Amino acid sequence: MGGDGILGGSAIKSSASTERRTKWLKRRETWLVILGVVLHAVYMLSIFDIYFKSPIVHGMNPVTPRFEAPAKRLVLLISDGLRADKFFEPDSDGNYRAPFLRSIIKGQGRWGVSHARPPTESRPGHVSIIAGFYEDPSAVTKGWKANPVEFDSVFNRSRHTFAFGSPDIIPIFCSALPHSTWNSYPHEFEDFATDASFLDEWSFDEFQSLLNRSNEDPKLKQLLQQDNLVIFLHLLGCDSNGHAHRPYSSIYLNNVKVVDGIAERVYNVLESYFKDNRTAYIFTADHGMSDKGSHGDGHHSNTDTPLVAWGAGVRHPMPMSGNKHSDSGVRFIDEHVHDMPTPKEWGLGGIERVDVNQADIAPLMSTLLGLSCPVNSVGNLPLDYVKLNEAEEVEAVLANTKQILNQFLRKSLLKQSNSLRFKPFKPLANYSLVLDQIEYLISVRDYGAAMKLSQSLRSLALKGLNYFQTYDWLMLMTVVTLGYTGWMIYLILHVLQSYTAFPGKIPTKEQTQLRNNSGMVHLCGYLLMGCICILLLLEHSPLLYHVYAAMTGFLWTRIFSEHQFLKALWRDLHGRQSIYIAKLVVTCAVSLVILEFLVHSFTERKLYTWCFLIVGVVASVHLYYSISWKSGIPIFVWFSCWFLSTFTLMPAEIPDNTLLVVASGAMIVVIGGFATYVDLHAEANKYWHGLLNHDAKKPRFPMLFHLQALLVALSSVMVPLSTSHRAEKQELLALHQLINWSISGFSMVLPLFSATGLLSRLTSIFLGFAPTFLLLSIGYEAVFYAALGLVLIAWILYENTLLYRSKMKRSSSKAGEDNIILDSGDRCLQLSDMRIPLTFMVLFNVAFFGTGNFASIASFEISSVYRFLTIFSPFLMAALLIFKLFIPFMLVICAFSAITKLIRVPRLGCYFLVILCSDVMTIHFFFLVRNTGSWMEIGNSISHFGIMSAQVVFVLLLFALTNIYTKDIQTRSPPQFSRKSM
């Protein structure tokens, strides 16, 4: 027996020419697989150069404001996880939870809703408030745990910052800040089992202690009397209580009152300490809290946070006017519209509400203290909060504009210095003239016109920042897309050359030209690649840019080197009948529709339910008109498809149901018994003829089925035993653990000793993996295993029926494309064979999402491994979880391999078509990668792209693994003709 490439397969002929061609094909396909692995690995990295580059740049000079600071010091109170509605609305008795801050809103300050941008998490929220920019997309490289690039903040610009609060927040801003005094409580204090409001009290007590020490420390007293001071109290209680008890709980709602009380005490302490009315106060939150006690996404319960400002430099309340703001209809960063109506239950309908984007708070704090805005800020100064005269307002907005403009100019300079053909942002080509005009308008006291020009320039500068952030996107996405397209075309050419009848139609003389006329193409292609790399080198482009371009150039060089073959292919298509062209177009269109369906199924599992409901009806009706209904096959296909359709309606989080797992074991034994009975007694049935091969090697153990059924039954018994014992004793008996490991290991070896007929070997494989899967199951996924097995049998029966119907046509026809064989003994691939990789893709993805979300291992219940071990071992636990996920994939691949043997098509050719289908989906996911939204949304978009990119390796490894079980499968087939004889 010879091997079919690296996947194993059929015997080869003994002639020297055939042997040479087979060896050449092996080498080429091994090289092709290696190329595919490298290409997908390289292009996977491209998303980090495209979507996840940091927007932060350095080297800008701060802009000093030209007005006197309204406040001498500023107090920033951030209540972590405080929802706007829970803060403003009354309780069940009609009393408001924040009486002090409501009195401030009504008598001393301004209020509104601060709109956060997803991801609504603590670190990005605090960075947005204190530094003025939103989540750095490159934080994905740090696992979302830190900002990978240093940034400026209001604290950096202050003379001194005093900060107290959580150890997860305070060190981000103060650990490397020399002019800061800070402290944080130990991580052990963050106990979800207790009322976390004491953490807020801790922060206030630390600040109170600081003030008390100043009465005995002259240096500290002198420091506190200076200007440009920032006092920051981080109040974590609402976030911890929201996670532990939900935002509707009495503990969370009481924490709102605690926070209000702390704000009142801070105000009273500072006013009595300084007695100069030069302190400004800002109270807000970093994010809200969903009803489930979580946050992160863009739901309004997470993005809407309260904002209250009062004190020095802050305007007093204004009554609600009938005139709408000039920015009516403009959307905030969270897509909420300006001037949204204030809920009546808040009781603030008569007081003007001024909403802001969260990043706008940073320039607001800088303006109140008369500081330069943080150089990385993208926030717009909310003028409705500050109490300045008209000239000072223009100066404040102009300083804010210049600070954003400086970022734009720095990015423009960096890009221009590294570009041979620089494309500037045209709307800001004459920015200096606009600045001169603003200065002139200020000098002639035309403040209204100066304000409009400043705001317009600021808006253009923000657009310019986005322009340079995405400057390379078009080039990179074009190169990567061309690379994927070139790879797919190259795969198609390889399949056409190696696995179809088409090369037999090309005259021998022309085939010689195909081999000899590619040298000049390669030379030109490599010269072009060299020129591109030199251009990228002159532009100081990153190394990976060179790799992307070289990979794409290499692929297209290989494609154009086949220009003679492409010409011959075009002539052949041109000479075909229109009916064939129509079939080709329809096949391509249907393939694209199915692949787009699979793309959408990654975010909507329920689509598979409709898929199998429809397929069940269509396939059974087709079989009904093809074969006798008395065979039972049409009804079986319909039932199996409809049975499987129910699982994608079930929750991804699998509930525990031990009895269902036990019942699944019985179901698996029944299915295996039925298949074994058919294998033994259906020899005379013409519809099962191709699946049975009783002339093949007999099993070494005639009682193999009974042994496998016994192991399935034993594993079903061990499921409730292990579960109940662990529930009572909180540990797994060593005896139970040994039995479970032994059953799993022994059962997976037994299929190797089964008969080599298609149905008998697949039945043995199905029963062989069942004990392991049952022992790793906690609920309905065990039934899914049985349902998937039924559908795979239905697929094989359907293909066998098509094979049976084609026998009569083959026997009455002359040698043609449909029965020409290759050197390996398989027949040539036909257009209709595209259904096999497409069906495989559907079933393979059902195995992904039938019982959960494979894009996240965290979506699978860790208790699945408790019947094998209970001592925490992350690597072994992860290995068991992943192996559980692989078992359904292996069943699908075993059925796929069996079908390729049944209908005599080359398995490697079908593998390359599977990779072709995967890459169509990969390109789609490439454009669906997100760098905004919640961490889960961003992570899932990366996972989807990564999963499809990795299938070139993932499927190949599973093919190699399952080949151990399927390489011996033997089937019966009708006589065929060789391609050489044609």
Side-chain angles (χ1 to χ4, degrees):
M1 297 293 288
D4 182 15
I6 60 176
L7 299 180
S10 306
I12 60 173
K13 296 184 179 180
S14 58
S15 67
S17 60
T18 301
E19 187 175 350
R20 283 196 302 271
R21 172 175 169 77
T22 302
K23 289 182 177 179
W24 171 83
L25 189 59
K26 281 185 180 180
R27 288 195 301 269
R28 179 174 180 178
E29 289 181 335
T30 302
W31 174 85
L32 192 61
V33 169
I34 293 172
L35 175 64
V37 172
V38 172
L39 177 139
H40 286 82
V42 168
Y43 285 164
M44 275 183 68
L45 297 176
S46 68
I47 61 172
F48 298 100
D49 283 319
I50 297 172
Y51 295 102
F52 299 103
K53 291 190 74 171
S54 176
I56 300 172
V57 290
H58 300 115
M60 297 83 66
N61 294 321
V63 179
T64 304
R66 300 183 300 194
F67 58 87
E68 186 178 350
K72 196 173 180 180
R73 67 199 67 85
L74 181 137
V75 177
L76 175 63
L77 303 172
I78 297 182
S79 179
D80 203 311
L82 177 57
R83 277 171 55 160
D85 57 346
K86 300 305 174 190
F87 175 78
F88 290 118
E89 71 186 16
D91 58 22
S92 57
D93 297 327
N95 301 318
Y96 292 100
R97 302 185 183 98
F100 169 72
L101 289 171
R102 286 185 68 85
S103 68
I104 293 293
I105 292 171
K106 292 182 176 180
Q108 297 185 48
R110 303 288 270 169
W111 78 285
V113 171
S114 171
H115 298 271
R117 191 183 85 170
T120 45
E121 304 285 351
S122 293
R123 178 185 53 77
H126 283 83
V127 170
S128 177
I129 294 169
I130 299 168
F133 65 89
Y134 301 103
E135 175 68 314
D136 184 346
S138 64
V140 67
T141 61
K142 296 285 187 179
W144 309 113
K145 296 182 183 298
N147 283 71
V149 182
E150 291 185 6
F151 57 89
D152 193 16
S153 72
V154 175
F155 295 176
N156 292 13
R157 296 291 154 197
S158 68
R159 186 181 301 275
H160 200 89
T161 293
F162 302 91
F164 306 98
S166 167
D168 297 318
I169 298 300
I170 302 299
I172 294 176
F173 302 95
C174 299
S175 61
L177 190 64
H179 55 276
S180 65
T181 301
W182 61 278
N183 196 11
S184 60
Y185 40 77
H187 279 286
E188 293 75 25
F189 279 25
E190 300 177 15
D191 185 359
F192 289 105
T194 62
D195 182 352
S197 61
F198 79 94
L199 299 176
D200 301 344
E201 296 288 355
W202 184 95
S203 298
F204 174 76
D205 292 342
E206 285 292 306
F207 175 61
Q208 177 77 70
S209 175
L210 176 80
L211 293 181
N212 293 338
R213 289 200 312 271
S214 69
N215 294 324
E216 302 174 359
D217 186 343
K219 290 185 178 180
L220 179 57
K221 183 83 171 180
Q222 183 181 4
L223 179 61
L224 287 168
Q225 294 295 337
Q226 294 184 10
D227 58 359
N228 296 337
L229 298 183
V230 175
I231 299 165
F232 170 42
L233 298 188
H234 175 247
L235 311 175
L236 185 64
C238 285
D239 185 72
S240 296
N241 284 327
H243 286 310
H245 308 289
R246 309 295 185 267
Y248 284 96
S249 66
S250 58
I251 293 179
Y252 179 90
L253 298 177
N254 182 68
N255 207 143
V256 180
K257 298 178 183 179
V258 172
V259 166
D260 181 70
I262 289 175
E264 182 177 14
R265 280 181 281 164
V266 168
Y267 174 71
N268 291 333
V269 166
L270 287 177
E271 291 304 308
S272 62
Y273 184 90
F274 292 108
K275 301 176 182 178
D276 59 0
N277 294 323
R278 295 292 307 279
T279 307
Y281 303 85
I282 291 180
F283 174 88
T284 187
D286 55 345
H287 57 75
M289 183 74 62
S290 73
D291 293 343
K292 295 181 179 179
S294 61
H295 53 81
D297 61 24
H299 191 270
H300 65 83
S301 62
N302 291 324
T303 61
D304 289 0
T305 61
L307 175 61
V308 182
W310 74 98
V314 179
R315 290 189 182 187
H316 284 265
M318 296 286 290
M320 181 65 73
S321 60
N323 298 327
K324 291 190 175 181
H325 297 304
S326 60
D327 57 1
S328 176
V330 179
R331 290 187 176 272
F332 285 102
I333 199 72
D334 60 357
E335 294 300 311
H336 295 173
V337 181
H338 283 230
D339 296 316
M340 292 181 67
T342 301
K344 291 183 180 180
E345 59 268 22
W346 291 8
L348 297 171
I351 304 173
E352 187 178 45
R353 165 183 164 184
V354 183
D355 286 9
V356 301
N357 285 322
Q358 195 173 64
D360 298 343
I361 298 175
L364 171 61
M365 292 192 291
S366 298
T367 300
L368 291 174
L369 287 172
L371 299 172
S372 304
C373 284
V375 295
N376 306 118
S377 171
V378 294
N380 295 327
L381 173 63
L383 274 178
D384 289 332
Y385 276 86
V386 293
K387 183 169 62 179
L388 299 171
N389 61 43
E390 196 174 10
E392 290 173 333
E393 284 185 351
V394 174
E395 291 289 357
V397 172
L398 181 59
N400 182 206
T401 300
K402 286 181 177 179
Q403 170 264 319
I404 295 175
L405 185 64
N406 282 350
Q407 291 184 75
F408 163 80
L409 295 175
R410 181 62 179 168
K411 284 195 171 188
S412 177
L413 179 63
L414 290 173
K415 184 53 64 178
Q416 186 174 6
S417 63
N418 294 330
S419 299
L420 296 178
R421 288 192 60 193
F422 176 68
K423 296 179 181 179
F425 184 62
K426 293 182 180 179
L428 284 178
N430 298 317
Y431 73 92
S432 57
L433 296 178
V434 178
L435 285 175
D436 292 339
Q437 189 175 2
I438 293 171
E439 296 289 354
Y440 170 76
L441 292 171
I442 292 174
S443 67
V444 298
R445 300 178 183 273
D446 190 351
Y447 299 123
M451 179 69 74
K452 288 182 179 179
L453 267 182
S454 297
Q455 291 174 336
S456 175
L457 184 61
R458 180 176 62 187
S459 177
L460 288 175
L462 289 171
K463 292 179 180 178
L465 287 176
N466 184 67
Y467 172 78
F468 285 114
Q469 181 65 20
T470 60
Y471 188 87
D472 291 330
W473 278 27
L474 180 61
M475 182 271 290
L476 288 175
M477 296 180 95
T478 301
V479 168
V480 173
T481 303
L482 284 174
Y484 275 120
T485 306
W487 163 252
M488 290 189 292
I489 293 174
Y490 194 52
L491 277 183
I492 293 171
L493 291 177
H494 173 72
V495 171
L496 288 173
Q497 290 173 333
S498 305
Y499 298 109
T500 68
F502 178 72
K505 300 178 182 180
I506 303 176
T508 306
K509 183 178 180 181
E510 194 169 332
Q511 289 185 17
T512 304
Q513 291 178 347
L514 296 184
R515 292 189 292 269
N516 297 336
N517 290 347
S518 60
M520 184 59 67
V521 175
H522 281 100
L523 178 62
C524 294
Y526 297 145
L527 286 175
L528 179 61
M529 287 162 55
C531 292
I532 293 173
C533 288
I534 291 172
L535 289 174
L536 292 173
L537 191 64
L538 293 174
E539 292 190 344
H540 304 286
S541 297
L543 177 62
L544 279 175
Y545 284 27
H546 296 256
V547 179
Y548 305 146
M551 188 72 73
T552 301
F554 174 76
L555 284 168
W556 282 95
T557 299
R558 299 290 297 182
I559 291 169
F560 284 116
S561 69
E562 304 285 351
H563 62 281
Q564 295 289 353
F565 181 83
L566 290 170
K567 287 180 181 178
L569 181 63
W570 174 254
R571 287 196 301 269
D572 181 73
L573 287 175
H574 193 68
R576 293 271 188 170
Q577 296 180 356
S578 57
I579 187 65
Y580 179 83
I581 303 300
K583 287 181 180 179
L584 179 63
V585 172
V586 169
T587 301
C588 293
V590 171
S591 300
L592 286 175
V593 169
I594 292 173
L595 295 175
E596 285 302 301
F597 161 82
L598 292 177
V599 167
H600 287 89
S601 71
F602 271 64
T603 54
E604 187 55 60
R605 293 169 60 233
K606 294 179 182 178
L607 287 175
Y608 287 113
T609 297
W610 290 105
C611 170
F612 281 98
L613 288 175
I614 296 171
V615 168
V617 172
V618 173
S620 58
V621 169
H622 180 242
L623 290 174
Y624 177 78
Y625 287 104
S626 301
I627 60 177
S628 172
W629 66 272
K630 293 181 180 180
S631 66
I633 294 177
I635 297 175
F636 174 77
V637 170
W638 166 80
F639 169 77
S640 60
C641 289
W642 279 38
F643 185 29
L644 187 65
S645 71
T646 60
F647 289 91
T648 46
L649 293 175
M650 297 181 183
E653 296 179 2
I654 303 172
D656 289 2
N657 193 330
T658 304
L659 291 178
L660 191 59
V661 178
V662 175
S664 302
M667 189 183 306
I668 290 168
V669 171
V670 169
I671 295 171
F674 172 76
T676 303
Y677 176 83
V678 170
D679 186 47
L680 294 174
H681 299 91
E683 177 71 19
N685 191 317
K686 56 187 176 182
Y687 305 118
W688 295 84
H689 178 80
L691 309 183
L692 313 176
N693 189 8
H694 293 165
D695 298 329
K697 186 176 69 173
K698 297 295 182 182
R700 300 179 190 177
F701 302 103
M703 302 297 289
L704 183 64
F705 165 73
H706 299 87
L707 179 58
Q708 289 189 299
L710 178 63
L711 290 175
V712 174
L714 186 57
S715 64
S716 300
V717 172
M718 291 305 300
V719 166
L721 274 179
S722 301
T723 303
S724 62
H725 190 81
R726 182 186 173 276
E728 294 171 4
K729 303 290 185 178
Q730 294 299 314
E731 61 181 13
L732 186 65
L733 281 179
L735 177 62
H736 290 178
Q737 195 171 355
L738 177 63
I739 293 173
N740 292 342
W741 280 103
S742 300
I743 291 172
S744 298
F746 186 54
S747 66
M748 288 187 289
V749 175
L750 291 179
L752 298 175
F753 302 96
S754 64
T756 56
L758 186 147
L759 186 59
S760 56
R761 175 56 63 92
L762 290 183
T763 302
S764 184
I765 292 171
F766 174 72
L767 292 172
F769 284 103
T772 307
F773 197 83
L774 288 173
L775 289 169
L776 287 168
S777 298
I778 62 171
Y780 71 79
E781 78 269 37
V783 187
F784 172 79
Y785 181 87
L788 182 64
L790 289 175
V791 167
L792 293 177
I793 294 173
W795 182 25
I796 294 170
L797 288 173
Y798 185 83
E799 290 294 338
N800 190 53
T801 302
L802 296 182
L803 181 67
Y804 167 76
R805 282 177 52 81
S806 65
K807 282 182 180 180
M808 298 303 295
K809 296 180 181 178
R810 289 180 182 176
S811 61
S812 62
S813 66
K814 296 181 180 180
E817 284 187 26
D818 57 343
N819 52 7
I820 303 171
I821 62 171
L822 303 166
D823 297 333
S824 61
D826 297 319
R827 68 168 173 81
C828 291
L829 286 172
Q830 307 165 30
L831 191 59
S832 60
D833 291 327
M834 192 64 196
R835 72 184 183 278
I836 299 169
L838 288 173
T839 306
F840 171 83
M841 289 294 295
V842 173
L843 292 173
F844 199 74
N845 281 276
V846 167
F848 269 120
F849 299 107
T851 59
N853 174 20
F854 187 79
S856 173
I857 294 296
S859 68
F860 294 94
E861 183 56 50
I862 193 67
S863 61
S864 299
V865 303
Y866 286 164
R867 299 186 189 104
F868 289 91
L869 70 165
T870 54
I871 298 173
F872 183 73
S873 176
F875 293 106
L876 185 55
M877 286 179 166
L880 286 170
L881 270 179
I882 292 172
F883 184 70
K884 174 190 175 183
L885 303 177
F886 277 10
I887 289 175
F889 304 153
M890 294 174 72
L891 288 186
V892 174
I893 290 180
C894 285
F896 176 80
S897 300
I899 287 174
T900 59
K901 287 176 176 287
L902 176 68
I903 63 177
R904 298 290 181 179
V905 293
R907 185 164 61 149
L908 256 181
C910 290
Y911 163 75
F912 287 124
L913 291 178
V914 167
I915 298 307
L916 176 68
C917 295
S918 297
D919 284 329
V920 172
M921 296 174 64
T922 301
I923 290 180
H924 193 131
F925 283 123
F926 174 69
F927 289 99
L928 291 179
V929 173
R930 298 182 57 173
N931 58 4
T932 59
S934 70
W935 287 340
M936 180 180 291
E937 291 166 343
I938 296 171
N940 281 344
S941 71
I942 297 173
S943 297
H944 295 162
F945 174 68
I947 286 170
M948 296 313 302
S949 296
Q951 280 204 7
V952 65
V953 179
F954 180 57
V955 175
L956 182 67
L957 291 176
L958 289 178
F959 263 101
L961 183 61
T962 56
N963 188 60
I964 298 171
Y965 296 98
T966 60
K967 64 181 178 181
D968 296 331
I969 291 178
Q970 297 180 24
T971 60
R972 296 173 177 175
S973 61
Q976 296 170 309
F977 303 91
S978 70
R979 184 167 70 178
K980 186 176 180 181
S981 67
M982 292 297 294

